[in-house]
Structures are given as C-alpha cells and as structure tokens.
Amino acid sequence: MQQYDNKPSVFTPNDVDVLAKETLFKGFFKMVKYRFRHKLFAGGWSNVIEREMFERGHAAAMLPYDPVRDEVVLIEQIRVGALEHNHPWQMEIVAGMIDRDESAEEVVRREAEEEAGISVKNIHAIVSYYPSAGGCSEKLDVFIGEVDASQASGIHGLDYEDEDIRVHVMSRSQAYDLVREGKIENGASIIALQWLELNHLQLKSQWLEKG
C-alpha cells in the first residue's frame, strides 16, 4: 500500500485545467456546466470530469447579539429549499447577497435593518466557508453583531422581494437549545450560535468594555 503524509496539499488553481464552461440556465440564479481535469494526489492528471454548478455568488450572514440582555435576534421566513420538507418556515440569522459595491460588513448591517429593524454597533467576524462546495459556488462570511435586542420586534422584509419575515428575540440559552434540539436547520445559524455558546463570556467582556 502506498503511504502518504498528512500534510495539506499544495495544489492551486493552476493545477486545474478548465476545458469548457457552458451556461445552462440564467434566471434568479445561474447554472453552469464545467468540463475540467485536475492533478491527482498520487501524480498525473484525472480523466475529464463534467459537473453542473449552481452559481450563487458571495453572501454574508450575522447573528445579532445583545451582550447586556444576553439575548439574540433570530428571524423566521419561508424558504424554497424546504418547501416540500417538514419545516418550510426556517429560523435563521440575518443574511444577504453581497453586491459588487458592498463589503460583507455593509451587507449584514443593511440586512439587520431590512430583516429585523435593528442597527448594529460592533461586529466580529466568525468564519468564511463554502456551504456546499460540491455543487455550489456560494461562499458565506459569518459575523456576530452587537445590537439592542429590545428594539427588535414585528414583521419586516422588502415588498418588492416578496419578503415576509418575522422577528424572534430570545435568550442565548434558549436559542442554543433550538440548535441542540435540531429545530434550527440553517448551517450559518448553527455555526454562529455554537460559536456564541463557546465565546459569549469573552465577547461580552470586549463589547461592554468598549461601552
């Protein structure tokens, strides 16, 4: 049996040969078909591979957190990906797509206003990751933002995007219970709430010191 070391590979985009790229569909999102080959871990090149990819772009999400009240703000809205499953209405953190002229932080500040009616003070970056790199180009930046949870309530969303978004305010521990019980099914929301559960004491100390 051939032995390999445990070091991460040093492959780069230069080790991929894209032979063809075809747009199959372009609507609200875009579907692209790639034909490519790539270098192999054991040396040499792969066969030509064909894959369809859902091109979604770059997005940002943020968990609004009130360090004084130890509360979080979550939103609830219907999601097309869950329409034919058990929970079409999903509990999530605020999120939105990044336009070319916006930074990720600007996006989550705007989305907090649009989706929950709250303004954000301090922002802390948690992680940047690919939710489904096997077939989707989307990369998601996840943040946690300091808010006054007492200002969060009601139903929000943009009419021209047919958004119908309900705001929920709950304690940090109640929100984390929803994660443990499997009632939150959105990846970015799970990541953010787990991060907060591990780091809330240090985060509260930092933010409350700033005043």
Side-chain angles (χ1 to χ4, degrees):
M1 179 182 295
Q2 190 170 359
Q3 298 295 316
Y4 302 100
D5 60 39
N6 291 320
K7 295 179 181 178
S9 70
V10 292
F11 289 154
T12 73
N14 292 328
D15 299 310
V16 179
D17 184 12
V18 177
L19 304 172
K21 179 181 177 182
E22 176 188 2
T23 298
L24 302 177
F25 172 81
K26 187 173 183 180
F28 189 72
F29 298 115
K30 186 164 71 170
M31 182 70 73
V32 175
K33 183 175 183 179
Y34 280 95
R35 294 183 72 249
F36 68 98
R37 61 183 191 136
H38 63 85
K39 286 186 178 179
L40 298 170
F41 292 120
W45 286 83
S46 70
N47 296 322
V48 175
I49 300 169
E50 292 188 355
R51 292 287 186 272
E52 291 80 27
M53 186 192 72
F54 181 43
E55 193 165 291
R56 184 174 163 87
H58 199 159
M62 185 193 69
L63 171 62
Y65 175 59
D66 185 331
V68 176
R69 300 163 65 96
D70 199 25
E71 292 179 337
V72 301
V73 179
L74 300 178
I75 60 173
E76 181 183 8
Q77 61 183 317
I78 195 165
R79 288 305 203 184
V80 66
L83 280 185
E84 299 189 52
H85 298 100
N86 292 331
H87 305 107
W89 278 263
Q90 293 279 299
M91 293 283 283
E92 303 174 343
I93 60 180
V94 299
M97 302 303 296
I98 300 175
D99 295 328
R100 292 181 180 179
D101 60 347
E102 285 184 300
S103 69
E105 288 195 14
E106 288 171 336
V107 169
V108 293
R109 288 183 183 276
R110 170 174 56 77
E111 292 293 338
E113 292 276 2
E114 292 177 2
E115 297 185 340
I118 49 177
S119 58
V120 182
K121 191 177 179 183
N122 294 301
I123 291 182
H124 178 84
I126 295 177
V127 70
S128 182
Y129 75 105
Y130 290 97
S132 186
C136 182
S137 66
E138 180 181 24
K139 193 170 188 181
L140 185 60
D141 294 333
V142 183
F143 300 88
I144 186 165
E146 182 182 3
V147 302
D148 179 356
S150 68
Q151 302 301 306
S153 65
I155 297 172
H156 298 268
L158 300 177
D159 289 340
Y160 67 85
E161 292 187 0
D162 293 315
E163 292 179 327
D164 182 45
I165 300 170
R166 183 181 179 188
V167 171
H168 296 266
V169 179
M170 63 190 73
S171 70
R172 172 184 49 79
S173 60
Q174 286 175 316
Y176 191 61
D177 283 343
L178 295 180
V179 173
R180 290 191 295 186
E181 294 164 5
K183 294 180 179 178
I184 292 181
E185 301 174 311
N186 172 269
S189 304
I190 293 170
I191 289 170
L193 287 165
Q194 287 180 330
W195 186 93
L196 179 61
E197 189 67 15
L198 292 172
N199 297 279
H200 66 277
L201 293 176
Q202 181 180 359
L203 187 67
K204 283 197 289 187
S205 177
Q206 291 175 355
W207 282 355
L208 295 176
E209 282 182 6
K210 291 182 179 180

